[in-house]
Amino acid sequence: MHVAREISHGRTTVVFARVLAHPTPVVWSMMTDPDLLALWSPYTADRNLAHVGRATLIMLDGGDRAPADIPSVVFVADAPRSLEYSWADDTVAWSLEMDRQTSSTRLELRQTLADDAFASAIAAGWHLCFDVAENVLDGHPVPPIRGMAAMDHGWAELNRRYATALGVKPTRIR
């Protein structure tokens, strides 16, 4: 997965790009449909995210804690090309571009962080989420990797690798 760090107006944006071997409308549904989000993402939503307006993201950490509700606003929902919404104090923007020859989708995620100390952790977490999403899309679903369960799936090493790639210190999890 391609990853980069951009800084603008004092805020860090982590940028990922990944090619998924599926048509853009299929990938769009995975990003917006609450039932499909729950299969691979750290959250689901109280409604389909394919429309602008208020929404609630429901964190699914996979641990003993109760799910946390995070008020959100969908700013952009231009199916099946771009989706942008708030996630707590962060902003998440997705861009999808279909390769007509292969029917694959180039997916770019840009997460602008409220706290840049979490850059490598965010990158490692999304890496694992995208691995799960790819399996789901390929018809080989695996359980979502959330919360502390990520430690059993190489999160610590990914955190170190992404810290190096992004030019930041590895995020410390207590």
Side-chain angles (χ1 to χ4, degrees):
M1 179 177 335
H2 168 77
V3 67
R5 178 174 166 243
E6 297 175 355
I7 299 174
S8 178
H9 304 291
R11 292 190 72 184
T12 292
T13 299
V14 177
V15 182
F16 300 96
R18 188 159 183 170
V19 175
L20 301 170
H22 299 276
T24 303
V26 172
V27 177
W28 175 263
S29 292
M30 287 288 292
M31 296 171 23
T32 57
D33 181 301
D35 293 333
L36 298 176
L37 278 167
L39 297 176
W40 67 273
S41 172
Y43 57 84
T44 188
D46 68 335
R47 66 168 183 86
N48 194 302
L49 299 177
H51 308 283
V52 297
R54 294 187 185 282
T56 299
L57 302 180
I58 303 157
M59 297 304 295
L60 306 169
D61 85 345
D64 294 332
R65 297 185 328 206
D69 293 349
I70 299 174
S72 179
V73 176
V74 177
F75 304 118
V76 176
D78 182 14
R81 293 182 295 272
S82 62
L83 177 67
E84 183 176 340
Y85 52 88
S86 61
W87 180 4
D89 294 328
D90 291 0
T91 302
V92 178
W94 302 87
S95 176
L96 294 86
E97 184 177 335
M98 187 154 157
D99 181 326
R100 300 237 182 258
Q101 289 183 321
T102 64
S103 293
S104 63
T105 299
R106 181 182 184 278
L107 177 65
E108 181 179 89
L109 165 65
R110 303 174 66 81
Q111 184 166 348
T112 303
L113 308 175
D115 185 347
D116 64 355
F118 289 99
S120 62
I122 294 295
W126 281 121
H127 181 114
L128 293 173
C129 288
F130 288 156
D131 285 351
V132 171
E134 196 162 33
N135 277 288
V136 170
L137 286 166
D138 289 347
H140 308 291
V142 297
I145 301 169
R146 299 183 183 117
M148 294 308 290
M151 296 300 178
D152 298 332
H153 295 274
W155 182 89
E157 177 59 26
L158 288 169
N159 182 43
R160 283 190 291 280
R161 284 186 12 218
Y162 280 118
T164 299
L166 296 169
V168 298
K169 292 181 181 179
T171 303
R172 295 181 59 156
I173 301 296
R174 298 169 210 187

